[in-house]
Amino acid sequence: MFVQILGSAAGGGFPQWNCNCANCAGFRDGSLRAQARTQSSIALSDDGVNWVLCNASPDIRAQLQAFAPMQPGRALRDTGIGAIILMDSQIDHTTGLLSLREGCPHQVWCTDMVHEDLSTGFPLFNMLTHWNGGLSWNRIELDQSFTIAACPNLRFTPLPLRSAAPPYSPHRFDPHPGDNIGLIVEDLRTGGKLFYAPGLGKVDESLLAIMAGSDCLLVDGTMWDDDEMQRRGVGTRTGREMGHLAQNGPGGMLEVLEQVPGPRKVLIHINNTNPILDEDSPERAELVRRKIEVSYDGMSIEL
């Protein structure tokens, strides 16, 4: 299985266009040693030719341009994208579908809840029907694994995760299973297993067992501290309120990952305020000590 990190940042990217927090300002003036990052999305393949996108960020055009296999050049119009899986219906994970309109129809896999949001509050499915039929919906059943024709040797198992629906969702304050999912992705030939959860608000014992049985964890790295955005003066909500488990503190991601010593551990969906973006920070050094990696745009993983 080939895993390509197309974008590794949370919504807004890094540096965020309108932000002058210590990280964003430091990156711009050269006083911070860090890498620029686009908004979170990954691509998966079983042959290195045909790919399944997991989320379509607003930065999708630049991400595809930066990854040569996405343009195999087999025909006058071509793409390496065989299908798209949506982990949720958030703007930073779905807006890129608009930029892919020239390639419609696209096979899109998502839950009932995500399809409802993207047919009502943010009606991408309705809008894109005007481009060669638009998006072809494939239902993700929360209790069933599935395969995708473009990558037949990969088996996808969805896991409902606790999170909040987007502000435009008809059930914004009424959470449902399927608003947010994680994925177990297994290569049926090699046995390699990826656990992917860019939004992860809580880890229970059953989820911990799934993580322990994986070869690689690509998990929520949004914030270092739960109140990070409040303390930095750029927001009013905590990480937990937004459906993200912070790395630091009791019960945080660092403690969770300490309980699963076997898999490779990689953080993704990193907010612009997170001090781990600073490669010289004590927080980054703590991750290195714990053998936890920070994903970056263009990172490749093979399982």
Side-chain angles (χ1 to χ4, degrees), residues 156-175:
F156 301 88
T157 303
L159 300 168
L161 302 177
R162 192 179 76 171
S163 188
Y168 47 77
S169 172
H171 58 276
R172 166 67 167 171
F173 299 107
D174 180 23

Side-chain angles (χ1 to χ4, degrees), residues 159-162 184 195 197 200-213 240 245 251-253 255-257 259-260:
L159 300 168
L161 302 177
R162 192 179 76 171
I184 304 168
F195 174 72
L200 185 55
K202 183 180 180 180
V203 178
D204 57 20
E205 289 301 319
S206 61
L207 195 56
L208 200 63
I210 289 170
M211 295 169 72
R240 288 185 184 274
L245 181 63
M253 189 63 77
E255 286 192 1
V256 169
L257 295 180
Q259 299 176 65
V260 284

Side-chain angles (χ1 to χ4, degrees), residues 118-164:
L118 298 182
S119 302
T120 53
F122 185 27
L124 287 179
F125 275 89
N126 310 31
M127 294 160 58
L128 287 170
T129 57
H130 300 283
W131 282 267
N132 201 30
L135 309 175
S136 179
W137 178 38
N138 298 265
R139 177 184 280 109
I140 291 179
E141 303 284 358
L142 294 178
D143 58 351
Q144 294 181 18
S145 299
F146 61 95
T147 57
I148 294 175
C151 296
N153 295 302
L154 299 183
R155 180 169 60 201
F156 301 88
T157 303
L159 300 168
L161 302 177
R162 192 179 76 171
S163 188

Side-chain angles (χ1 to χ4, degrees), residues 265-286:
K265 304 162 188 176
V266 186
L267 300 177
I268 195 169
H269 196 272
I270 304 153
N271 199 57
N272 66 88
T273 55
N274 195 326
I276 66 174
L277 290 170
D278 179 356
E279 297 176 16
D280 297 318
S281 67
E283 292 85 357
R284 187 62 169 266
E286 179 63 16

Side-chain angles (χ1 to χ4, degrees), residues 55-114:
N55 294 334
S57 91
D59 301 314
I60 190 65
R61 185 184 182 281
Q63 292 170 348
L64 298 181
Q65 180 72 18
F67 185 47
M70 283 302 183
Q71 184 43 264
R74 298 165 295 193
L76 186 61
R77 292 286 180 95
D78 199 10
T79 179
I81 300 172
I84 302 164
I85 298 175
L86 301 178
M87 312 293 287
D88 54 51
S89 55
Q90 299 287 348
I91 276 185
D92 53 317
H93 292 160
T94 59
T95 313
L97 292 169
L98 293 169
S99 297
L100 299 177
R101 62 191 180 278
E102 294 90 353
C104 287
H106 292 291
Q107 297 295 318
V108 175
W109 293 75
C110 65
T111 65
D112 285 321
M113 291 296 99
V114 170

Side-chain angles (χ1 to χ4, degrees), residues 219-274:
V219 294
D220 194 334
T222 307
M223 296 181 186
W224 181 261
D225 290 308
D226 190 48
D227 63 350
E228 183 176 299
M229 293 185 70
Q230 296 171 330
R231 289 191 295 103
R232 295 201 175 213
V234 296
T236 59
R237 301 172 66 201
T238 66
R240 288 185 184 274
E241 288 172 342
M242 292 185 287
H244 297 289
L245 181 63
Q247 283 110 63
N248 194 30
M253 189 63 77
L254 295 185
E255 286 192 1
V256 169
L257 295 180
E258 192 73 20
Q259 299 176 65
V260 284
R264 181 177 179 181
K265 304 162 188 176
V266 186
L267 300 177
I268 195 169
H269 196 272
I270 304 153
N271 199 57
N272 66 88
T273 55
N274 195 326

